[in-house]
Every structure is written in structure tokens, then in C-alpha cells.
Amino acid sequence: MQFDVIVIGGGHAGTEAAAASARRGARTALLSFDLAKLGAMSCNPAIGGLGKGHLVREVDAFDGLIARAADAAGIHYRMLNRSKGTAVQGPRVQADRVRYAAAIQAMLHAQADLELVEGEADSLVLAGGSVAGVRLADGRVIEARAVVLATGTFLGGRIFRGEEREVGGRVGESSATRLAVQLRELALPMARLKTGTPPRLDGRTIDWSRVAEQPSDEDPWTMSPMTARRMLPQLHCGVTRTNGATHDAIRAGLDRSPLFSGAIDAQGPRYCPSIEDKIHRFGDRDGHQIFLEPEGLDTHLIYPNGMSTSLPVDVQEAMVASVPGLERTRIVTPGYAVEYDYVDPRALDATLGLPQIEGLYCAGQINGTTGYEEAAGQGLVAGINAAAHARSLEPLILDRATSYLGVMVDDLVLQGVTEPYRMLTARAEFRLRLRADNAETRLGETAFRLGCLGDDRVTRYRARQDERARLEERFAVPITASVVHARGAPVALDGARRSAKEWLRFPGVELAHVMDEVEAGTQLLAEFVEDARYAPYLERQQVEVDQLRANDNVRLRGDLDFAAIPGLSNEMVEKLSATRPETLGAASRIRGITPAALSAILLHARKTAA
């Protein structure tokens, strides 16, 4: 078998990578242990959240799968941070697990230039320092010019629950052991990380009368603008809390936890710690929230978000029984932790390619990240760029000023990780520009130009461009202060004439005050209003963006000897040598690199180039 691109792994990174590669015209193979489990939600049955929802909307702007699948399976919609500005609001959808995977699989089956292959990747086939394909465990060889590794927690995966140990990347499934051995033999910079999942509960045994109810949002927003309306009945989630008895039960079992016994020494996610880690680190807290999230319309399973654990089963039972509303609750599947291999992402470049092995790309947890949304975003970038490599097309390289995708890739390849990386709005210094509601505007043109959009999305893109031109014209019409005042706006009668866009910067001025006829609220119209309100801040931030891009235009030679640059400390030399920044701007974003060091680097680079 011969393809342009092979994607190894059928999780959120792998499915997005395969679909993106195929949309770009590359003949693509998606290789997975079990094709029936493509798109499976291994942990939390939800998509989006703070920072994460931005990533989902950005992947969707490239015609990715994750947002449309979330809508096809959406049983609870909630806009997080609704009381704050739109720049930091995070759309989140609780999804029916079965329907989500079915939606992903349906889109993959319908995708042209994509073939689904069931089997285990035994090893990479290499030729002269480049990837040439994949050898399967059954002896078959699939040839390709590019390979995307999207192995999730399966690369050297081991499962821990109390004293129990087993090999696997997900409970009941095997591990990619032979591939992990090969990657280590290739002297790639690799280490171990860990993640975990909570026990699954039988919702019929929960006393819902003792649990606070959290309903789905009433306003009918969807995760993807391609989804016209919500398609499924909406369920409510529940909210309860741990207490002193819960914490006592956990503390009594800490000596049997693999996190504290030394069985696991890999670092877990700081922003989504296990319940035993929370109790150990925040011992003064009287309780921690637990969100009871339904796993689907046709199942009684409940996911207790906030109760991730690898404690022994008997301790998990005591812990659950101590929580209000869960006193008689039955655990269907106990929680567990997974430890797995990852590649230091500083070995990658901005395309998520591995320069050490031409044609090899990495996406998802193999890059030291955690979360469906982070995986999907990396899968999109890696898939687009693998297709570009295989077919000699323009690569996709995003910067921090255009997208959260750009922020994530930049963080990974420059800073590396010491714990599983999770996207947060605080990571984006230009977040006023990077709202979840304007992802199409920010990235649509790039997606269209690179050929990443399917036919339906191209039609939408063109219609949206026409609508944008009409709105630009309407928002540019000058209006006098007296007209705006007469319509009820609290503005001074100073005789000024300003455009609608300028008037909307004033406190208390609404759309109805500056438009003769307010159209039915389209998504693009709402975006225009937000743009107008944020305009003064965005104009100030543009100076920083311009400086960022100016520094990113100063290229640094790949063989630059940082140890030969006077004035750099040993720590700076070590970080710069590990990262090999391609531009002065990239060097400036490495932690610990001072302005004086940048001047020295720039001077040395100019001198050696002369």
C-alpha cells in the first residue's frame, strides 16, 4: 500500500490530522488498533471550556471535525465566564460519548482521499534520515512520504490503580510498545508523563435531590457555525462537593496510591490534578466541587468531573460514598492513572515536524499536552503540514497574534513541558484579538488559501466575505451626535459626526442607536459590534504585534553556535541550544532570555552573516 501521508492513532489528534491531510488533497491512511473506537472520548465527555473552546472554534475555522461532532452529540451547552468579556468566554459542550464517536467516524468515512486501516504500527520505515512509511505488527508495510504520530497515551502506556498494574493506553486496550522502543532507539529526547480519569458512576443510584442542578444554556448557540441548531434533547448536570469525611478516606489510602508510593514518578497535569493530589496539596480546603456529568442519552453512566484518581477500588468506594448525594452510588468502572511516553516538543519545529527525521510529525499527547482540544489543534496543524511536505505545498505556520493554535505550538516548541500542557486564556498575550467568536474571521482566509476547506465550507466562506463587505459599508456611514442622542444613547450633543463603529466605543451606545434598521442578529453582526467595542485596546496592542512580527522576520542560522556568543549565561546557552530558535522573535520568547542577550544574539548573527 502506498500513500502520501500515514497518521498513526485514531484519537482526537489522529482523526483531525488524517481529515486535514485528506482535505488538502493528500492520499492519506489513518492507522488505528481498532477502527470501531475512532474518535472515542477517553476521559471527560465534554468539548471546549476556557481557552479550550477557542481552540475548538479555530480548528473548526479550518473545517476540522471536533466542533461539528460536539454539536452532533451535544446534550448540555454552557458558556463559561459569561459574566466577563467575550475575549475570555469559553464555549463548552457536554457530549453523548456514543454519538460523538459516531459523528467523527461518519465524517471520516465521507472524507475523500482518506482510507481507514486497522492494525498496530510496529515501527517506522526510514530511508536516509527520512521517513518512508510504517511497518505493521502483522508484517505489512505501508509506504508514505510523511507520517504523523498521534499515539495519545498508548505510546509505552501503563495503567495504575492502587496496587494493580497493567500495560495499556486505555483500560481494556493494549499499548504501542514496539513503536515506543524504536523511538527511544532513535535517540529522540523522550520522557514520561501521566494523566488520570475518575470512576464512572451509575446515575440511577445517585440521590439527585441532594445535588444542585446546572441546566444547559437557554440561548441557542452552537459550537460550529456550520450547525444550524441544537440537535439533541438537553440534560442538566449536577454539582456537589467533597467534605472532611471524603478527605479522611483519601488520606487513609494515600500510602496505597501509586502517585505517593513511588510507582509513578511522572508529572501529571497541574491544572487538572487527581483528587488525592488536591487533598495533599490543598489540605486546608474544606471541600472541592464535583460536577456530575451525564455520558449520554442512552446510558446511566455519570462522569464525576473533579474526582480523577488512581486510588485502590475500596478507597474509591469509600471516597464516593462520603460525598452528598453519592452515599449509595455504585461505581461501574473505577478510576485509574496512565503513564506514557512523550517526545520533548522542543525537538519539533513550528510545523510540528521533527527535523531530526524528515517527514515525521507529532501531534497530541506525544508532544507533552493534555486534553481533547489541544490534541485536535495539534492534529490539524500536523496533518496540514504533513500533506504540505508530501505534496510540496505551502506549510501552515501560525503566530501568537493570530490564534491560540499559534500560541500553543509556539509554547511547546520553544518552552518544552515539565507537566502535561493545557491551554489557558492567560497564555495568550494578545487574547483581546483572539476571541472564540471571531475564529473564522481570523483564520478563514488562511484556511481558504491553503486549500483546507471542503465544498460546504468554501460556500460559507464566500457568503461570509460578501456579508462582511456589506457590514463594513454600513458601519462606515457617518451619524451625527443628535441622531444618536435622539435614539436614546447617553452621548453629548457636540455636533460630531462619527461612524457607527466609532460610536459603539462610547459607554451606553448600543447597536440600535447607530443603525436605522437592526438586522436579525447574525453571528458576524455580533462580531462586528464586539470589534467596535474593543477597537481602542486592539489599536494599542497592534504596536506589540508589529514588534513581534518584526523580530520574527530576523532569521537565525540553524548552525548558530550560541556558546560562542559573548555575554550569554550557561543556562541561556543550554536553553537556546535545546530549542534552536529559527528567529530572533522565537529566541525572545524563551524563558530567561534577557533583552541584553537578544542584542548579543542579533549582533553575533549579523557579524557571522557578513
Side-chain angles (χ1 to χ4, degrees), residues 399-473:
D399 68 24
R400 304 183 72 90
T402 59
S403 63
Y404 276 81
L405 291 170
V407 170
M408 175 173 61
V409 171
D410 196 60
D411 282 348
L412 292 173
V413 303
L414 291 182
Q415 312 297 351
V417 298
T418 55
E419 63 189 45
Y421 178 95
R422 177 179 180 172
M423 180 49 69
L424 306 165
T425 53
R427 294 190 189 277
E429 56 270 67
F430 305 121
R431 57 186 170 273
L432 289 181
R433 305 162 60 92
L434 310 182
R435 308 193 309 269
D437 70 343
N438 67 3
E440 275 189 293
T441 296
R442 290 185 279 113
L443 299 171
E445 183 178 349
T446 299
F448 176 76
R449 178 172 53 81
L450 294 183
C452 300
L453 305 181
D455 292 343
D456 290 345
R457 201 65 186 240
V458 167
T459 299
R460 174 181 168 81
Y461 169 77
R462 288 175 171 149
R464 203 169 184 273
Q465 291 296 93
D466 292 341
E467 184 185 0
R468 170 169 287 280
R470 289 193 300 271
L471 287 173
E472 289 281 7
E473 190 175 327

Side-chain angles (χ1 to χ4, degrees), residues 35 77-78 104 139 155 162 189 243 249 263 282 315 330 333 378 381 390 411 461 505 511 526 538 587:
L35 296 183
Y77 286 74
R78 187 167 177 233
I104 291 288
L155 192 66
N243 52 47
F282 308 110
V315 179
R330 183 174 73 90
T333 304
Q378 292 167 74
V381 173
D411 282 348
Y461 169 77
R505 301 181 182 189
L511 184 61
L538 296 176

Side-chain angles (χ1 to χ4, degrees), residues 15-16 19-20 23 56-69 104 107 224 226 376 380 452-454 457:
T15 52
E16 291 289 355
R23 282 197 308 277
V56 173
R57 290 273 176 83
E58 291 177 359
V59 171
D60 185 70
F62 280 89
D63 211 10
L65 311 179
I66 188 169
R68 285 178 287 154
I104 291 288
M107 286 187 277
S224 171
M226 298 296 287
L380 178 93
C452 300
L453 305 181
R457 201 65 186 240

